[in-house]
Amino acid sequence: MENKAAIDKAKEHFGKLLEAQLERVEKIKTAPDWIDYSQLSPIKIGILPGDGIGPFIAAEAERVLRFMLDEDIKSGKIYLKTIEGLTIENRAKHNKAIPDDVLEEIKKYHVTLKGPTTTPRKGDPWPNIESCNVAMRKELDLFANVRPVRVPNQGIDWIFFRENTEDLYALGPYGIEVGPDIAIDFKLITSPGSERICRMALEYARKNNKTKVTCITKANVVKTTDGKFLEVFYNLAKEYPELQVDDWYIDIMTAKLVDEKRRREFQVMVLPNLYGDILTDEAAEFQGGVGTAGAANIGKQYAMFEAIHGSAPRMVKENRAIYADPASMIRAAAMLINHIGYTDKAKKLEMALDICGQYEKKLVITGRPNGATGKAFTDYLIDWLNNPKLQETWEGYVKG
Ligand code: IPM
Ligand code: MG
């Protein structure tokens, strides 16, 4: 009898989740098309400093953003402002992943540059609220998490298209415990959700002269959901006959990324949310660690750009926040600039980051007092951006 009651309760819970997801699928199908930034005046950029090391690296990223967009900020074509309130303290106070008034404010901006925010888990001193990244991705329907990793001198030029609203993340806070011994989370994959991310990866490859797109799943074991993702991928790929497409399982893919010979073959990769979370941390390590990697969270109406790492509260506790690497957020800023249409400026910023972070390395960040501060590194970067020889020098480095 006791079991029956627990099962009935679980069924009811599951039924409600399904109702909400069926509604969501309809919304995806009828969503408005891509926003056209060239038609906006002004383009509104919001800065969300976050918490932990967030405000420290956000300040540096904002400095770079203002430097790069200086003219258009002055002319009023770009409007840039800090949005307050997305800190763990304020979120805990409201017991919400994103407090309502903050979310309302965020929605007034076309794009945001976001610093890391603390994600509590069971047992932390904070209430166990949902990750603010995950909530923002869902609220603004930022379905594509685009994460490039480039190490030119090792022949690595990857771009990951991580699905950002589904998989184990969609119902992350809504798992169930049935009796004292069983815990269940739900993995959700939908056809329109898979289609839009696979389409984006394939389109990216087509428009950027890439020759190969790889889909990563565990469809041999996780048959229904990963099976659907993979099936959608191959079906769509038929519309791109010029592209070579293949698929790998996540376990062997994780291994192949450390295979120096094979890994150069990969170009564009598309994968469900959790595999994407894990694989992109690994990939970023080749570029110098998660502190050097930025991510774009892109939807058809909004976009948010952020570092791929967390808020590093330990660094703050140990008074090391000024030594945090702002390169991750500055890379995110470069992606933001690119996304709103300043392609050449974005390229220039990426080149400067490569030179300062991987080649010349006049200043090196270690996260500790034996390394440079984030501010000093940013000064160094801006010096490079001011240097008219940037392009020439870069070409020399690549050839050398
Ligand atoms: C990321 C982060 C987040 C995620 C965390 C903070 C919830 O690891 O952006 O990759 O898992 O997506
Ligand atoms: Mg992650």
Side-chain angles (χ1 to χ4, degrees):
M1 200 56 218
E2 219 174 86
N3 281 352
K4 185 173 181 307
I7 292 171
D8 284 347
K9 200 170 146 221
K11 278 186 186 166
E12 198 191 323
H13 176 82
F14 187 49
K16 285 196 184 128
L17 296 181
L18 286 179
E19 273 168 32
Q21 286 306 316
L22 285 166
E23 256 174 51
R24 182 178 155 272
V25 165
E26 277 316 301
K27 270 201 198 143
I28 299 181
K29 286 184 182 163
T30 54
D33 212 356
W34 291 95
I35 191 168
D36 180 357
Y37 294 98
S38 70
Q39 299 300 311
L40 302 175
S41 192
I43 301 175
K44 295 179 82 179
I45 305 175
I47 312 260
L48 294 155
D51 51 59
I53 59 167
F56 294 83
I57 61 173
E60 302 309 330
E62 178 175 349
R63 202 146 66 88
V64 174
L65 204 54
R66 287 190 182 276
F67 174 83
M68 299 304 293
L69 299 174
D70 185 44
E71 260 170 54
D72 286 355
I73 292 175
K74 281 190 184 135
S75 78
K77 195 171 179 306
I78 301 258
Y79 175 79
L80 199 147
K81 197 175 158 260
T82 298
I83 304 171
E84 308 289 343
L86 203 64
T87 59
I88 184 66
E89 292 81 8
N90 194 39
R91 292 161 55 220
K93 190 174 124 201
H94 289 88
N95 201 16
K96 275 205 115 160
I98 310 175
D100 293 342
D101 55 338
V102 181
L103 181 61
E104 206 180 297
E105 190 61 20
I106 290 173
K107 286 187 173 169
K108 293 182 187 155
Y109 291 79
H110 302 111
V111 292
T112 45
L113 181 64
K114 178 183 154 302
T117 41
T118 300
T119 300
R121 62 172 184 192
K122 230 179 180 170
D124 279 355
W126 306 107
N128 196 10
I129 44 179
E130 187 182 21
S131 145
C132 145
N133 303 28
V134 174
M136 207 162 149
R137 293 164 187 168
K138 286 183 195 166
E139 287 289 348
L140 305 181
D141 203 20
L142 309 174
F143 64 86
N145 197 324
V146 185
R147 298 184 162 182
V149 169
R150 292 178 347 115
V151 191
N153 66 349
Q154 288 179 30
I156 293 177
D157 188 4
W158 299 325
I159 183 157
F160 296 86
F161 286 82
R162 164 187 174 192
E163 202 291 322
N164 214 18
T165 50
E166 304 199 338
D167 192 12
L168 278 156
Y169 282 67
L171 301 170
Y174 308 112
I176 44 174
E177 299 203 22
V178 184
D181 296 328
I182 297 182
I184 300 181
D185 277 309
F186 300 102
K187 171 160 165 135
L188 170 105
I189 297 278
T190 71
S191 303
S194 308
E195 248 172 69
R196 58 186 186 174
I197 187 73
C198 291
R199 164 89 61 204
M200 204 170 156
L202 291 158
E203 279 293 314
Y204 175 87
R206 172 173 278 175
K207 289 187 184 135
N208 291 276
N209 297 320
K210 302 286 180 188
T211 52
K212 182 173 158 150
V213 183
T214 303
C215 182
I216 300 151
T217 66
K218 186 75 188 179
N220 51 341
V221 176
V222 188
K223 294 182 189 297
T224 311
T225 46
D226 282 359
K228 181 183 272 301
F229 193 90
L230 192 58
E231 191 185 336
V232 166
F233 171 73
Y234 276 124
N235 271 337
L236 270 185
K238 290 182 198 146
E239 294 175 34
Y240 301 78
E242 79 278 20
L243 297 176
Q244 189 195 334
V245 289
D246 65 355
D247 77 277
W248 289 71
Y249 296 133
I250 181 64
D251 50 349
I252 187 65
M253 189 69 205
T254 311
K256 283 297 140 195
L257 287 197
V258 286
D259 177 337
E260 283 179 22
K261 279 188 209 112
R262 292 303 297 278
R263 69 182 177 193
R264 296 161 183 244
E265 292 167 18
F266 299 110
Q267 300 177 11
V268 179
M269 286 164 265
V270 61
L271 65 178
N273 208 339
L274 183 63
Y275 307 144
D277 177 46
I278 298 166
L279 203 65
T280 55
D281 267 17
E282 185 199 9
E285 205 59 29
F286 303 120
Q287 184 181 270
V290 291
T292 65
N297 293 265
I298 295 176
K300 292 190 175 175
Q301 297 302 303
Y302 295 103
M304 178 265 276
F305 300 80
E306 64 183 345
I308 81 163
H309 56 78
S311 60
R314 189 182 307 155
M315 286 189 83
V316 181
K317 224 165 97 195
E318 294 172 3
N319 279 323
R320 293 191 284 117
I322 57 167
Y323 300 103
D325 194 345
S328 53
M329 253 192 105
I330 299 174
R331 283 219 183 253
M335 296 178 87
L336 184 156
I337 295 173
N338 183 53
H339 187 68
I340 59 173
Y342 298 86
T343 322
D344 287 351
K345 282 183 194 285
K347 250 208 167 81
K348 197 173 155 194
L349 179 52
E350 272 168 10
M351 279 199 305
L353 279 162
D354 287 348
I355 294 177
C356 298
Q358 292 184 17
Y359 289 88
E360 196 187 66
K361 292 191 179 175
K362 237 191 226 163
L363 290 183
V364 176
I365 296 220
T366 61
R368 298 180 179 276
N370 64 359
T373 61
K375 181 173 180 309
F377 180 83
T378 309
D379 288 341
Y380 167 42
L381 184 82
I382 291 179
D383 275 352
W384 256 109
L385 288 163
N386 267 322
N387 184 340
K389 286 198 169 162
L390 181 66
Q391 179 73 32
E392 203 183 295
T393 311
W394 167 249
E395 277 161 12
Y397 274 117
V398 173
K399 279 187 207 125

